[in-house]
Amino acid sequence: MALLDGAIEMEERARSFYEEAAGRVRDPSSKRILALLAKEESRHAAALKELKGGVYGKLERSLLSEDVREIIEGGVKEGKEAVSEDASMRGILQEAMEIESATRTFYVEKRKETADPKERELFSLLAEQELRHYLLVSGLAEYFDRPAEWIEAAEFGLRPEY
């Protein structure tokens, strides 16, 4: 149980970070993206709490990347060159990358340590989602630094559907 308590605490710290960061930025798109990240961390904490309570259901697929892509595409269509003109956003994204990396490392390591198959499965899913969060946040950091180049990226660029 101590392992689950540590994981819950880590997710709640990440949620608090994103909520606090959303309160510091002025740009509505940045606020929405940070709120989405906070919601994701809250979902993770809820799944861990359920497991701690003896109930384990599959962690639903995250729609974070798709939601963020819609926000970015909307900004691009409106003629914006970056998610945010707020200089603090770069620092927020850098700290978010560190949080996501540390959280993923935690799940990768702890999944090896636990004997409980349900914990192992959940930790594997969470490690995968934290990696996706890291990649998303690092992509946003790149976008913040070089928006014109980032728009051409395959994952977020405006490309026709096949």
Side-chain angles (χ1 to χ4, degrees):
M1 288 299 176
L3 184 58
L4 290 175
D5 289 334
I8 292 166
E9 184 178 318
M10 183 178 287
E11 294 293 347
E12 289 179 346
R13 275 196 311 264
R15 177 194 48 78
S16 292
F17 167 77
Y18 288 122
E19 287 175 348
E20 184 272 326
R24 285 189 287 153
V25 295
R26 296 180 310 270
D27 178 69
S29 294
S30 296
K31 283 183 181 294
R32 288 177 52 209
I33 290 169
L34 293 168
L36 287 170
L37 284 160
K39 183 178 176 183
E40 280 290 295
E41 303 304 348
S42 183
R43 273 184 353 100
H44 293 178
L48 290 160
K49 288 175 183 175
E50 286 177 0
L51 181 57
K52 183 179 175 185
V55 177
Y56 178 67
K58 284 275 191 185
L59 185 62
E60 291 182 29
R61 181 180 169 281
S62 172
L63 299 175
L64 179 65
S65 293
E66 292 88 347
D67 291 342
V68 170
R69 182 177 182 191
E70 286 179 20
I71 293 169
I72 299 300
E73 285 179 351
V76 170
K77 288 176 184 173
E78 292 173 12
K80 290 184 182 179
E81 292 186 10
V83 171
S84 176
E85 296 173 5
D86 189 330
S88 67
M89 190 61 173
R90 182 62 174 106
I92 289 168
L93 293 171
Q94 184 63 43
E95 191 170 345
M97 288 167 47
E98 293 168 12
I99 289 169
E100 298 299 343
S101 178
T103 306
R104 179 181 181 272
T105 299
F106 173 86
Y107 288 125
V108 168
E109 291 173 359
K110 299 306 178 190
R111 133 181 105 201
K112 295 174 188 173
E113 294 176 17
T114 185
D116 184 317
K118 290 178 181 177
E119 282 183 12
R120 259 195 319 272
E121 181 181 356
L122 182 56
F123 287 178
S124 292
L125 291 169
L126 289 169
E128 181 183 311
Q129 288 193 8
E130 297 298 349
L131 174 60
R132 288 184 186 150
H133 293 178
Y134 175 84
L135 294 172
L136 174 73
V137 171
S138 64
L140 288 171
E142 184 178 331
Y143 174 56
F144 184 73
D145 287 341
R146 295 183 299 265
E149 294 171 27
W150 188 85
I151 294 301
E152 297 301 318
E155 184 177 358
F156 293 104
L158 299 174
R159 305 207 187 283
E161 295 294 324
Y162 290 101

